[in-house]
Amino acid sequence: MTLYKAPLDDQRFALFDVLGAEAVLTQLQAGEGHTRDLLDAVLEEAGKLSEQVLAPTNAPGDEEGCHYDKATRTVTTPKGFKEAFRQFADGGWAGLTMDEAFGGQALPSVMGIATTEMFQSGNLSWSLYPLLSEGACHALEIHGTDEQKHTYLKPIVAGRWTGTMCLTEPQAGSDLGLLKTRAEPGENGSYTITGTKIFISAGEHDLAENIIHLVLARLPDAPAGSRGISMFIVPKFTLKDGQLGERNNVYAGAIEHKMGIRGSATCVMNFDGAEGYLIGQPHKGLAAMFTMMNAARLSVGVQGLALSERALQNSLHYARERLQSRSLSGPKFPDKPADNLLVQPDVRRMLLTQRAFVEGSRMLVLYAALQTDIEARGGDEATRRKASELLAFLIPIAKGLVTELAQECTKEALQVYGGHGFIVENGVEQFVRDARIITLYEGTTGIQAADLLGRKILQLKGVGLQHFLAEIGAFCKQHAGDETLRAYLGPLGTLAKEWGELTLKLAQRTQANPEELGAAANDYLYYSGYITLAYFWARAAAATAGSSQQPSFKQAKRDTAAFYFARILPRTQMHKAAIEAGVETLPAMA
Amino acid sequence: MTLYKAPLDDQRFALFDVLGAEAVLTQLQAGEGHTRDLLDAVLEEAGKLSEQVLAPTNAPGDEEGCHYDKATRTVTTPKGFKEAFRQFADGGWAGLTMDEAFGGQALPSVMGIATTEMFQSGNLSWSLYPLLSEGACHALEIHGTDEQKHTYLKPIVAGRWTGTMCLTEPQAGSDLGLLKTRAEPGENGSYTITGTKIFISAGEHDLAENIIHLVLARLPDAPAGSRGISMFIVPKFTLKDGQLGERNNVYAGAIEHKMGIRGSATCVMNFDGAEGYLIGQPHKGLAAMFTMMNAARLSVGVQGLALSERALQNSLHYARERLQSRSLSGPKFPDKPADNLLVQPDVRRMLLTQRAFVEGSRMLVLYAALQTDIEARGGDEATRRKASELLAFLIPIAKGLVTELAQECTKEALQVYGGHGFIVENGVEQFVRDARIITLYEGTTGIQAADLLGRKILQLKGVGLQHFLAEIGAFCKQHAGDETLRAYLGPLGTLAKEWGELTLKLAQRTQANPEELGAAANDYLYYSGYITLAYFWARAAAATAGSSQQPSFKQAKRDTAAFYFARILPRTQMHKAAIEAGVETLPAMA
């Protein structure tokens, strides 16, 4: 059984002390919005649900897994999942950020991300059921007709139904242009959907009355490739007079046997002439799917944070309690048979690495989420546009880097336990297994890296990076006289300058040879990510001055910032060397 | 089902072309030794056993796991393990490197390591049963009386019995000084052993008639701490007139439920007044255990190589077969629906990273194993001593670095598969899970790092490093005129110099404050390890000139060497920065 305590202090520090979210949100809501008291209460309630209801289902859910019944083609989720989903729905969490017109709470996106982090820490497998629903809600909200919204959105927001996103097929993963599922025009404007989708999270389960699948398929006249894909609504039960009608011909053919997130039903979905309805424009399904991509990818980035947070809490606890060996400079607990692990500098290195990544990632994802709110409700076009460009630039970093750092964090957390970390009952190995999916789904790290360098930097001429560098520049200028920040502002300024120059040189090289993009992208993602986190760590150090948190909390922040700059940030230089090495160091392989 | 093909070409290249093992061994054996033909035949036969018998049991063994029967307190190993062990014993592999006097084949250690790699690639879980026996054999050979050797060593060498090493207790892991198991003098010079040991690999199973436990315990008059530990032989069945007699009072109380190596029985062993016999001197058990440490740690390093090799083979195969997306510079397989993954530079980066680590690690562990042979049979005292010092220095690198690199290699292998890597049936996720134990057992990476910096560098005044730096210097001098090696010799020479200087400065700092040792050790291990591999990659590039391998093999070697120097070796500088950051960046945590 592993611990979990909602990290409310750190969320508040990041949101309010570092990012000034209260002022930003007040401005966006034009005075009629949410008070700080309400925001605090939302965080607290989400924390309670995560700690008390979700966290205890995590390890048992992994052990039990989901069960697929071949005869009925139905899936049973692990014990406790259904009841947790009921409490989640009853608490209004399923529609937290959705429009009030559909029964939502209309809270800002940044609160959605902050609460999602806690739910995911509580039980990542479980959290995928509402997460997929949220994705479906966004699709319906943006692309659905009024009737479609009324029919499908409201019950999902209410937590009575759930949703899915059906993209992947056996031969079409990262390359959706290869997909084959067909949609033939049927009666009354409906379509008949035929094909097989794989890796469908929440494709079939027992948490809700109905499941609304959003399915990518090809119309008969569709052009080949990614420009011939349309999106369809395919409900598990079709509706008759507003009530659940017939069982549609879409069934789970199997569930996957996976390394981790074993409480999440990952289904093979067979559409055997299922009834579906076009949503959005014909042949524009992929573009429609992409409008939800930012939210989906940010949420997966948050999964990295969520798993790392819980892994850190447990490894820190273990290091505090486990007595083994003595400090190098003489006993620190002479009355005990041995000192605890915390006296070992190398154990502190493992814990501080986790802390630097966890708290740094938290600032990054909350900052990105705030841009979502500004993009949606900013007072003027220029403000909204800038937020949108910043967000587009930061998404591949928030997804790509944070999920990769979660591999390192969960690995280090397990390492702190020594051999005991390898034992299932101690719980930390589950975090390692669960974490392994997040660099794969919603676009692999390679896809994120290509999106960052190929699209956000090269195609969009680095406009998001320019905003971000300007922000770093302004921050450095604002604090230029602050002696306590000198150790951070110097390296940050130098690296910001280097980042811009390296990007320009790289852009020139990729123009000469497009293969250079693929050769540099992964290292460019890490390079950019480490500088991005350095900026947030410098802001955190600066924010301790005005924060009302406890002195020990603030000292730990400054210590972690110093650790990050001294021992993590030098990683940028190895990535720079790899970027500069060029594609000739990656010759053809047979 | 995953592939496995014994990497005979690369083993031969490393052994004979790079390391000149044939000449070294011929000299050691003074003319009466093994011919190249025999050595080749041994590798081939081990390869066949690994490919045909062991490899197919790997995934099924993971799925089935070991079964513990509470009523009889016995363990059943997965299907196929017993038959594989029989074939292994019948082939004479159990005593491959053991003295002919005890029924062994007396082959050099380096052949033991080369064949062990293949067995471990075939099935790591299974390979632990003979590995633990090998450890017990070494202990008996070095510390046993003639009678003990005759009684216990011969049946293990013959593969009729197996052995274990019983060290860890719940409160005593890295700190064996805390162990509590008691040994009271009994009848006829025997002892009564009482206590609980945990994490005992092969503690109970169905592969052999008898199990010989080597147990660390305290005599009644033992001083506290690590200087009061003695070693005892505790057989599962005691002997009467040379035949198996009574069942001894040592039983498995449970087996662990683990993240990986699920076919290996990791037992809780209860000694309830079991009959045991002192081996070696009273109170000198820990020292006796340490005499086997080099061999045990090197074997675990080889496990990293073995898992990474098989993971690489499978991810390369997948990248070749999987069609998805198009090359950045236009279609490379225009007649197919998409190009294969190999056209993506970022996929090649993941594969080359694995290849650089796998083949580099292979040269390192085989080089270390050759030092074992020279240490044992070198012609003069100075030669033996130098080999011993080099070996002692390289062991924490071979164990610490290679097992850590295996985390990265297996992770990258899985990443190449995309979402399919997360699915159990595809097999690659097992390598990730299995690999997670190897940075923990036989001394965690932290323990290896402390051994390297604390003992091998500081206590022993860096004598092993000096030998190694001299060897690098000689190599650079020898090849100074070779234009094809210029790109390697420059950076290698610079780094060798830096390594020496950094070590001296670090030694001074740790004298002023012993905590600096703990703050620097982990990064010093990586820093040293990456330069060590650079030396072997430079040797590999040099060795292609005189090698009779295929041109494509030699080109791939040179490509991988170039990749390593350009894209991996810059990692040294981030570790150098972390080393220089000092203990003040790792402040106390509560």
Side-chain angles (χ1 to χ4, degrees):
Chain A
M1 178 65 191
T2 56
L3 307 167
Y4 179 64
K5 183 104 182 59
L8 298 176
D9 278 347
D10 200 60
Q11 289 198 324
R12 287 185 185 123
F13 177 77
L15 276 174
F16 304 120
D17 294 338
V18 178
L19 303 176
E22 193 180 0
V24 173
L25 295 175
T26 303
Q27 202 183 356
L28 293 182
Q29 290 153 351
E32 49 167 337
H34 312 289
T35 62
R36 167 74 189 260
D37 282 352
L38 177 84
L39 300 180
D40 274 332
V42 169
L43 293 177
E44 260 170 50
E45 289 305 312
K48 275 186 208 162
L49 185 65
S50 301
E51 290 172 1
Q52 296 166 14
V53 178
L54 297 175
T57 64
N58 190 50
D62 176 67
E63 189 175 350
E64 185 183 342
C66 286
H67 292 282
Y68 175 73
D69 183 70
K70 220 168 174 176
T72 57
R73 290 181 282 181
T74 57
V75 172
T76 312
T77 56
K79 196 163 166 286
F81 275 38
K82 206 167 172 171
E83 171 57 22
F85 193 74
R86 205 41 43 222
Q87 291 194 43
F88 175 86
D90 291 349
W93 299 103
L96 191 72
T97 61
M98 297 303 296
D99 200 319
E100 285 163 319
F102 308 111
Q105 310 275 337
L107 274 157
S109 286
V110 72
M111 295 304 291
I113 287 296
T115 54
T116 293
E117 182 208 313
M118 294 188 271
F119 301 143
Q120 292 175 339
S121 286
N123 187 332
L124 178 61
S125 288
W126 178 90
S127 76
L128 294 181
Y129 298 93
L131 188 66
L132 269 292
S133 293
E134 201 183 316
C137 283
H138 285 301
L140 286 161
E141 195 177 22
I142 300 170
H143 303 288
T145 62
D146 283 348
E147 196 203 330
Q148 286 172 338
K149 288 184 205 180
H150 179 80
T151 309
Y152 301 107
L153 192 49
K154 278 188 165 178
I156 304 180
V157 167
R160 288 192 295 117
W161 301 357
T162 63
T164 75
M165 315 287 283
C166 298
L167 284 67
T168 305
E169 298 179 10
Q171 79 295 345
S174 297
D175 187 358
L176 287 172
L178 298 173
L179 71 80
K180 292 178 179 169
T181 296
R182 299 186 323 272
E184 309 273 350
E187 287 168 19
N188 305 322
S190 74
Y191 292 83
T192 305
I193 314 289
T194 306
T196 299
K197 296 286 181 179
I198 62 169
F199 298 168
I200 307 308
S201 297
E204 171 63 25
H205 59 78
D206 56 1
L207 303 182
E209 299 161 16
N210 201 3
I211 301 174
I212 306 306
H213 303 287
L214 293 178
V215 184
L216 294 187
R218 288 185 190 283
L219 289 166
D221 61 342
S226 60
R227 285 156 206 271
I229 298 170
S230 307
M231 185 156 62
F232 299 87
I233 297 171
V234 181
K236 176 177 173 181
F237 289 97
T238 57
L239 298 180
K240 195 163 182 181
D241 308 327
Q243 302 297 311
L244 293 190
E246 281 185 25
R247 182 69 171 82
N248 205 350
N249 214 356
V250 48
Y251 286 95
I255 59 173
E256 303 289 353
H257 184 202
K258 305 188 302 294
M259 181 184 190
I261 55 164
R262 301 186 63 248
S264 167
T266 306
C267 303
V268 175
M269 297 304 296
N270 297 320
F271 296 83
D272 293 325
E275 186 171 318
Y277 322 105
L278 184 70
I279 169 170
Q281 299 301 307
H283 315 319
K284 302 285 186 197
L286 209 58
M289 205 54 92
F290 269 101
T291 59
M292 295 167 285
M293 210 60 104
N294 278 349
R297 290 184 169 175
L298 184 56
S299 294
V300 177
V302 176
Q303 294 176 11
L305 163 60
L307 288 170
S308 301
E309 167 68 39
R310 189 162 179 182
L312 167 59
Q313 288 187 20
N314 283 278
S315 63
L316 180 57
H317 177 78
Y318 187 84
R320 209 180 266 136
E321 300 297 318
R322 174 73 170 170
L323 305 179
Q324 201 77 176
S325 303
R326 291 292 183 189
S327 162
L328 291 158
S329 51
K332 298 291 174 282
F333 299 82
D335 52 330
K336 294 193 173 168
D339 291 342
N340 72 14
L341 296 184
L342 276 182
V343 308
Q344 305 294 340
D346 191 52
V347 172
R348 297 201 299 276
R349 176 190 60 77
M350 293 190 270
L351 294 166
L352 282 162
T353 302
Q354 295 176 62
R355 183 178 277 175
F357 289 153
V358 164
E359 299 177 5
S361 297
R362 183 172 289 124
M363 292 184 278
L364 166 59
V365 300
L366 292 174
Y367 176 89
L370 263 185
Q371 304 312 312
T372 311
D373 289 316
I374 300 171
E375 178 190 29
R377 309 191 213 178
D380 58 85
E381 166 66 20
T383 304
R384 291 194 297 272
R385 186 184 172 134
K386 185 181 157 192
S388 172
E389 289 165 346
L390 258 175
L391 181 65
F393 164 70
L394 287 172
I395 286 296
I397 299 177
K399 199 285 182 180
L401 187 80
V402 176
T403 60
E404 289 287 344
L405 296 182
Q407 312 305 309
E408 182 171 346
C409 287
T410 53
K411 185 248 175 195
E412 293 287 25
L414 191 153
Q415 189 72 20
V416 168
Y417 280 71
H420 296 272
F422 201 63
I423 306 299
V424 172
E425 284 75 8
N426 291 324
V428 70
E429 63 87 40
Q430 188 193 339
F431 304 137
V432 177
R433 286 186 292 106
D434 285 357
R436 199 62 200 81
I437 188 62
I438 63 180
T439 67
L440 304 168
Y441 64 17
E442 283 300 333
T444 62
T445 305
I447 297 287
Q448 305 305 319
D451 179 52
L452 176 64
L453 184 57
R455 184 163 165 72
K456 307 302 167 56
I457 297 291
L458 300 177
Q459 273 186 38
L460 303 178
K461 301 197 188 307
V463 60
L465 172 61
Q466 284 165 32
H467 294 317
F468 198 64
L469 288 175
E471 207 181 293
I472 295 177
F475 171 80
C476 289
K477 205 170 160 190
Q478 182 195 342
H479 294 277
D482 188 338
E483 278 303 309
T484 64
L485 298 180
R486 185 195 285 251
Y488 310 131
L489 300 186
L492 181 59
T494 305
L495 279 170
K497 188 160 171 285
E498 185 187 271
W499 192 4
E501 292 165 356
L502 184 68
T503 304
L504 272 180
K505 268 194 269 178
L506 187 52
Q508 287 162 3
R509 245 191 20 237
T510 57
Q511 276 185 332
N513 179 1
E515 297 281 344
E516 293 285 359
L517 198 168
N522 179 73
D523 286 284
Y524 187 82
L525 170 68
Y526 277 91
Y527 175 86
S528 303
Y530 286 125
I531 302 175
T532 302
L533 290 191
Y535 166 59
F536 287 111
W537 270 112
R539 284 187 67 171
T544 56
S547 168
S548 60
Q549 297 279 352
Q550 293 294 317
S552 61
F553 177 98
K554 294 194 281 186
Q555 186 57 48
K557 276 286 168 207
R558 287 186 292 261
D559 287 347
T560 311
F563 167 85
Y564 184 86
F565 273 81
R567 297 183 78 116
I568 302 291
L569 198 53
R571 295 184 185 189
T572 50
Q573 298 311 295
M574 86 185 178
H575 292 297
K576 179 166 176 278
I579 290 166
E580 292 173 338
V583 75
E584 65 268 27
T585 58
L586 302 170
M589 296 175 83
Chain B
M1 179 65 193
T2 56
L3 307 168
Y4 178 64
K5 182 104 182 56
L8 297 176
D9 278 346
D10 200 60
Q11 289 198 324
R12 288 188 185 122
F13 177 77
L15 275 173
F16 303 119
D17 295 337
V18 178
L19 302 175
E22 193 180 0
V24 174
L25 293 176
T26 302
Q27 203 182 358
L28 293 181
Q29 289 153 351
E32 48 167 338
H34 312 289
T35 61
R36 169 73 191 261
D37 281 352
L38 177 85
L39 300 180
D40 274 332
V42 169
L43 292 177
E44 260 171 50
E45 289 305 312
K48 275 186 207 161
L49 185 65
S50 302
E51 290 172 2
Q52 296 167 14
V53 179
L54 297 175
T57 63
N58 190 50
D62 177 67
E63 189 174 349
E64 184 183 342
C66 286
H67 291 283
Y68 176 72
D69 183 69
K70 220 171 175 172
T72 57
R73 291 182 281 180
T74 56
V75 172
T76 312
T77 57
K79 194 162 167 288
F81 275 38
K82 206 167 170 172
E83 171 56 21
F85 193 74
R86 206 40 43 220
Q87 291 194 42
F88 175 85
D90 292 347
W93 300 104
L96 191 72
T97 61
M98 297 302 296
D99 200 319
E100 286 164 318
F102 307 112
Q105 311 275 336
L107 275 158
S109 287
V110 73
M111 294 305 292
I113 287 297
T115 53
T116 293
E117 183 209 312
M118 294 188 270
F119 300 144
Q120 292 175 339
S121 285
N123 187 333
L124 179 61
S125 288
W126 177 90
S127 76
L128 294 180
Y129 298 92
L131 188 67
L132 269 291
S133 292
E134 201 184 315
C137 283
H138 285 300
L140 285 161
E141 193 176 24
I142 300 170
H143 302 289
T145 61
D146 283 347
E147 195 203 329
Q148 285 172 338
K149 287 185 208 182
H150 179 80
T151 308
Y152 301 108
L153 192 49
K154 279 188 166 179
I156 304 181
V157 168
R160 288 192 294 118
W161 300 357
T162 64
T164 75
M165 315 287 283
C166 298
L167 284 68
T168 306
E169 298 179 9
Q171 80 294 345
S174 296
D175 187 359
L176 286 171
L178 297 172
L179 71 82
K180 292 178 177 168
T181 295
R182 299 188 322 272
E184 308 273 349
E187 286 169 20
N188 304 324
S190 74
Y191 292 83
T192 304
I193 314 289
T194 307
T196 298
K197 296 285 180 179
I198 63 168
F199 298 168
I200 306 308
S201 297
E204 172 63 26
H205 59 79
D206 55 1
L207 303 182
E209 298 162 15
N210 201 5
I211 301 173
I212 306 306
H213 303 287
L214 293 178
V215 185
L216 294 187
R218 287 185 190 285
L219 289 165
D221 61 343
S226 59
R227 284 156 205 270
I229 297 170
S230 308
M231 184 155 63
F232 299 87
I233 295 170
V234 182
K236 177 176 170 180
F237 288 97
T238 57
L239 299 179
K240 196 164 183 183
D241 308 328
Q243 303 296 311
L244 293 190
E246 281 184 25
R247 181 70 170 82
N248 204 351
N249 214 355
V250 47
Y251 285 96
I255 59 172
E256 302 289 354
H257 184 200
K258 304 189 300 295
M259 181 184 189
I261 55 165
R262 299 186 64 248
S264 167
T266 307
C267 304
V268 175
M269 297 303 297
N270 297 319
F271 297 82
D272 292 325
E275 187 171 317
Y277 322 105
L278 184 69
I279 169 168
Q281 299 301 307
H283 314 321
K284 302 285 185 197
L286 208 57
M289 205 54 94
F290 269 102
T291 58
M292 294 166 285
M293 209 59 104
N294 278 349
R297 289 183 170 174
L298 184 56
S299 295
V300 177
V302 176
Q303 294 176 10
L305 163 60
L307 288 170
S308 301
E309 167 68 40
R310 190 163 178 180
L312 167 58
Q313 288 188 19
N314 283 277
S315 63
L316 180 57
H317 177 78
Y318 188 84
R320 211 179 267 137
E321 301 295 319
R322 174 74 170 169
L323 304 180
Q324 202 75 176
S325 303
R326 290 292 182 187
S327 162
L328 291 157
S329 50
K332 297 291 175 282
F333 298 82
D335 52 328
K336 294 192 173 168
D339 291 342
N340 72 12
L341 297 184
L342 276 182
V343 308
Q344 306 293 339
D346 192 52
V347 172
R348 297 200 299 274
R349 177 191 59 77
M350 293 191 270
L351 293 166
L352 282 162
T353 302
Q354 295 176 62
R355 182 177 279 175
F357 289 154
V358 164
E359 299 177 5
S361 297
R362 183 171 290 126
M363 292 184 277
L364 165 59
V365 300
L366 291 174
Y367 176 89
L370 263 186
Q371 305 311 312
T372 311
D373 289 316
I374 300 171
E375 179 190 30
R377 309 190 213 177
D380 58 87
E381 166 64 21
T383 304
R384 291 195 297 271
R385 185 182 172 135
K386 185 181 156 191
S388 171
E389 288 165 348
L390 258 175
L391 180 65
F393 164 71
L394 287 172
I395 286 296
I397 298 176
K399 200 283 184 183
L401 186 80
V402 177
T403 60
E404 288 287 345
L405 295 182
Q407 311 305 309
E408 183 172 346
C409 287
T410 53
K411 185 247 177 197
E412 293 288 25
L414 191 153
Q415 189 72 20
V416 168
Y417 281 71
H420 296 273
F422 202 63
I423 307 300
V424 172
E425 284 75 8
N426 291 324
V428 69
E429 63 87 39
Q430 186 192 340
F431 304 138
V432 177
R433 288 187 291 107
D434 285 355
R436 199 63 199 82
I437 188 62
I438 63 178
T439 68
L440 304 168
Y441 64 18
E442 283 301 332
T444 62
T445 306
I447 296 287
Q448 306 305 320
D451 179 51
L452 176 64
L453 183 57
R455 183 162 164 74
K456 306 303 168 56
I457 297 291
L458 301 176
Q459 272 187 39
L460 302 178
K461 301 198 188 308
V463 60
L465 172 61
Q466 285 165 30
H467 293 318
F468 198 64
L469 289 175
E471 207 180 294
I472 295 177
F475 171 80
C476 288
K477 206 169 157 190
Q478 183 195 341
H479 293 278
D482 188 338
E483 279 302 309
T484 64
L485 299 179
R486 185 195 285 254
Y488 311 131
L489 300 186
L492 182 59
T494 305
L495 280 169
K497 188 159 171 287
E498 185 188 270
W499 192 3
E501 291 165 357
L502 185 69
T503 304
L504 273 180
K505 270 195 267 178
L506 187 53
Q508 287 161 4
R509 242 187 29 233
T510 57
Q511 276 185 332
N513 179 3
E515 297 280 345
E516 294 285 0
L517 197 168
N522 179 73
D523 286 285
Y524 186 81
L525 170 67
Y526 277 92
Y527 176 85
S528 304
Y530 286 126
I531 302 176
T532 302
L533 291 191
Y535 166 59
F536 287 111
W537 270 113
R539 284 188 66 172
T544 56
S547 167
S548 59
Q549 296 279 353
Q550 293 293 316
S552 61
F553 177 98
K554 294 193 280 186
Q555 187 56 49
K557 276 287 168 206
R558 287 186 292 261
D559 287 346
T560 311
F563 168 85
Y564 184 86
F565 273 80
R567 298 183 78 117
I568 302 292
L569 198 53
R571 295 185 185 187
T572 49
Q573 298 310 295
M574 86 183 180
H575 292 297
K576 178 167 177 277
I579 290 166
E580 291 173 338
V583 74
E584 65 267 28
T585 57
L586 303 170
M589 297 175 84

